[in-house]
Amino acid sequence: MDVFEPLYIFGFLLILGLIYIPVLLYTLFKFKLNIIGLIFIILSIGSYFLLGTYMVGAGYYSDEESTAMLFGYGFLELTLLTYPYIFVVLAVLLGKKGERF
């Protein structure tokens, strides 16, 4: 049974994964973070790299053949690209001391 995976969702999620680095750099340079904020930033970077290794070896981690939309990446791998943003938002909301000028 095939699942319909529209191409525009693939494009949106791929762009979302690629703009993570500028968003992370903006957060690090714009806000002063306390220890809780730094922990969330470390969790964000760690989850981004862990997700990257999962995406590279996606065929090795699944019990069945992966459904690749484009370039060998499926919908699940691209949906997981949104999770590092959760930790960036938590770092800013819970660990912000102030803004840098």
Side-chain angles (χ1 to χ4, degrees), residues 19-90:
I19 64 170
Y20 168 76
I21 302 296
V23 168
L24 180 69
L25 291 175
Y26 175 78
T27 302
L28 290 174
F29 290 126
K30 179 74 174 173
F31 300 105
K32 290 185 268 185
L33 301 172
N34 60 18
I35 191 72
I36 294 172
L38 293 175
I39 289 171
F40 280 123
I41 290 293
I42 291 169
L43 285 172
S44 175
I45 294 170
S47 66
Y48 189 73
F49 284 128
L50 185 65
L51 177 62
T53 59
Y54 176 77
M55 287 177 71
V56 169
Y60 300 115
Y61 300 122
S62 62
D63 293 336
E64 58 192 42
E65 297 218 10
S66 60
T67 60
M69 281 182 67
L70 195 60
F71 303 121
Y73 300 127
F75 188 72
L76 173 65
E77 290 90 1
L78 293 171
T79 305
L80 291 174
L81 283 173
T82 60
Y83 284 99
Y85 287 99
I86 294 170
F87 294 115
V88 171
V89 169
L90 285 173

